[in-house]
Amino acid sequence: MISNNFLFSRQAVVDSKLSVKANNLFHLNNMEQEKKDSFLSLLFTDLSIVDVIKHQPIFITVSIHEVEHLPTPPSALRFVLFFDAAELVPERDSDRLSGLRLDGYQLGLTNFSLKFFGTPLFDYFSFVELSLNKYDVSHVLHVDRHQALAHKEIWISHIKTQEQHREIDTHTHASWFSGDFLSQSVPVRGSNVPGYRLILIDLLTRLQDGRSSIRDISAAIEKDVTLSYRVLKLTKSVMYHRQFNVHNVQRAIEIIGIKDLIKWVTLAMFSSIDGKPDCLFSMAVNRACLCDGIAKAIYPKLEGAFLVGLFSYLPSFFDSPMEEILKDLPLDESLVVALSHHQGHLGSILAVAKNYESGCWEKIPFEQLAQKSLSSNQLRQVYIDSLKAAKEIYQI
């Protein structure tokens, strides 16, 4: 089947307020040349995929040779197809691009250069991607000033730092942004430890102390009103506990259970921290659910995968290097080596999750995963299931 050869992951594309505005779709397609347009058709017919990517525009980079027989996209999905400007030939591709527009697709240019201005194809495109993997910031600022781009939608991709994003947002008319800057930590000067980090340290210490009661643990959480509220709210996402009416943190802990307490408190903590991009919490939950899904598939008895995925975002939320954070947290050694060096079973799972998220397919050990009964098609299904599980959590 087509789906056996198709892997995809999505990356957030945000606006100037750092709210998610679109999904950039990475894809790995190993089908024969004559069937390579089938992966887009799959997006229309596989309801499990449509369910996790609909409601927002989908950016996807394709070859002009892969779109010859694409059907009209369903009204629920808005596709922007990006083509490499260097591969386009006006005499050959004009009719095909015109047909795609008539079918309801929007078109974008990637690998863009000033040489493309004035060519017969330029008016077909409403989007232009300027990648900081290919151009430096000064070049992007220069290209953006060209009057021919005044009426184009500009997407700046592969933004690495928040400083780059601020400069680009201030000095260009770009309105679409993506890159690692969304999860970048900003080092805080001084020796003060953020309040939420102190609460997490206190909780982990109390949980390791067999003498701490549920009342003691709930008192630590109740030091922060917002955190307490989030903990109570998140208990509703545990399906079989929705019939309970929870009035206080102590009762919430009794329902959640000590074993899963750190998981839920960390979720509540991340959702309570101000000054972070709106999408950062959902990114952390997505990774946690993906790590948990991979672990259940290849190491069913392994514990800690969800927490490793979640804690991999600690630097982004606490604005400190991972090494510094781990020195303060009394964590099991298996979690420490996984988070700091990607070692052990948990570390390997975290590495696979990160590479899958970023579309670095060449770094994923597919043969080793297959030996543990996790095929590439099953990995794709794990990813889809993780997006659904995460969506249920962060919409609470």
Side-chain angles (χ1 to χ4, degrees):
M1 294 178 61
I2 293 171
S3 57
N4 288 341
N5 299 298
F6 174 69
L7 293 174
F8 82 98
S9 63
R10 64 178 188 176
Q11 176 194 55
V13 181
V14 301
D15 59 17
S16 59
K17 296 181 180 179
L18 303 184
S19 296
V20 178
K21 193 174 181 181
N23 288 304
N24 178 28
L25 215 62
F26 301 120
H27 59 91
L28 176 64
N29 183 31
N30 293 325
M31 290 176 284
E32 299 89 356
Q33 183 65 42
E34 63 270 16
K35 295 182 180 179
K36 279 198 170 183
D37 55 352
S38 299
F39 71 88
L40 279 180
S41 301
L42 176 65
L43 292 179
F44 304 161
T45 58
D46 191 324
L47 297 180
S48 61
I49 297 178
V50 171
D51 184 58
V52 296
I53 62 176
K54 65 182 179 181
H55 306 313
Q56 290 174 325
I58 299 164
F59 293 0
I60 183 166
T61 301
V62 294
S63 167
I64 190 65
H65 305 294
E66 296 174 9
V67 295
E68 187 172 358
H69 301 107
L70 284 185
T72 301
S75 58
L77 296 177
R78 177 187 170 194
F79 277 92
V80 184
L81 305 180
F82 282 85
F83 298 92
D84 188 330
E87 293 182 357
L88 298 175
V89 178
E91 297 78 11
R92 182 195 65 196
D93 301 325
S94 179
D95 289 345
R96 189 174 300 177
L97 293 172
S98 177
L100 289 171
R101 290 184 66 191
L102 291 174
D103 283 340
Y105 293 96
Q106 290 182 278
L107 307 182
L109 283 170
T110 187
N111 194 22
F112 178 76
S113 71
L114 294 175
K115 296 178 181 178
F116 207 82
F117 288 136
T119 63
L121 297 180
F122 188 64
D123 290 340
Y124 287 132
F125 297 90
S126 54
F127 284 77
V128 172
E129 178 199 11
L130 298 176
S131 169
L132 293 190
N133 266 358
K134 298 177 181 177
Y135 316 112
D136 57 27
V137 173
S138 61
H139 181 78
V140 168
L141 299 180
H142 172 68
V143 172
D144 179 77
R145 296 188 190 103
H146 199 288
Q147 62 180 11
L149 289 183
H151 301 293
K152 303 292 185 182
E153 296 277 358
I154 306 299
W155 168 32
I156 312 297
S157 65
H158 299 92
I159 302 174
K160 296 177 176 61
T161 68
Q162 295 182 21
E163 290 76 14
Q164 286 180 336
H165 174 255
R166 280 192 290 268
E167 183 177 4
I168 291 168
D169 187 31
T170 302
H171 298 292
T172 73
H173 78 287
S175 55
W176 310 76
F177 311 91
S178 64
D180 293 339
F181 80 100
L182 290 170
S183 57
Q184 181 197 23
S185 62
V186 181
V188 178
R189 295 182 180 180
S191 57
N192 291 333
V193 179
Y196 281 129
R197 189 162 147 198
L198 289 173
I199 293 174
L200 187 58
I201 293 170
D202 186 21
L203 274 177
L204 286 168
T205 303
R206 289 177 183 272
L207 287 172
Q208 286 195 340
D209 182 359
R211 296 171 294 178
S212 296
S213 66
I214 290 181
R215 180 177 296 179
D216 294 332
I217 295 170
S218 62
I221 298 172
E222 288 169 345
K223 291 176 182 178
D224 186 274
V225 175
T226 303
L227 180 60
S228 300
Y229 167 76
R230 295 286 188 180
V231 169
L232 296 179
K233 194 175 180 184
L234 279 168
T235 58
K236 296 179 182 179
S237 67
V238 185
M239 297 292 292
Y240 50 87
H241 290 314
R242 283 181 176 166
Q243 67 269 31
F244 291 98
N245 191 10
V246 183
H247 296 288
N248 57 58
V249 173
Q250 182 171 329
R251 178 60 176 146
I253 294 174
E254 291 171 354
I255 291 174
I256 293 171
I258 295 295
K259 180 180 178 181
D260 287 333
L261 180 61
I262 288 299
K263 164 185 170 179
W264 293 105
V265 170
T266 306
L267 284 168
M269 194 174 290
F270 281 2
S271 66
S272 304
I273 297 176
D274 294 326
K276 296 297 178 181
D278 291 344
C279 60
L280 191 60
F281 175 62
S282 62
M283 290 165 64
V285 178
N286 286 343
R287 180 177 295 173
C289 290
L290 179 55
C291 286
D292 192 49
I294 295 171
K296 288 177 179 177
I298 61 177
Y299 301 116
K301 297 182 179 180
L302 183 66
E303 296 184 357
F306 186 98
L307 209 55
V308 162
L310 199 60
F311 275 22
S312 68
Y313 272 88
L314 284 173
S316 302
F317 283 96
F318 289 166
D319 290 324
S320 296
M322 181 66 81
E323 293 76 12
E324 182 180 323
I325 295 172
L326 293 177
K327 284 191 297 184
D328 297 330
L329 297 181
L331 292 173
D332 184 88
E333 184 64 19
S334 62
L335 272 71
V336 172
V337 297
L339 291 166
S340 57
H341 302 297
H342 290 173
Q343 292 180 354
H345 291 329
L346 289 174
S348 299
I349 289 169
L350 178 59
V352 169
K354 285 184 173 181
N355 288 325
Y356 193 102
E357 288 173 339
S358 59
C360 296
W361 318 111
E362 72 282 357
K363 297 182 180 180
I364 297 177
F366 288 109
E367 291 186 4
Q368 290 93 317
L369 292 175
Q371 291 173 3
K372 298 182 182 297
S373 301
L374 183 64
S375 67
S376 59
N377 185 47
Q378 289 169 325
L379 180 58
R380 181 177 74 95
Q381 189 59 50
V382 167
Y383 178 70
I384 293 171
D385 292 342
S386 72
L387 293 180
K388 292 179 180 178
K391 185 177 180 181
E392 181 178 345
I393 292 173
Y394 57 69
Q395 286 188 341
I396 293 295

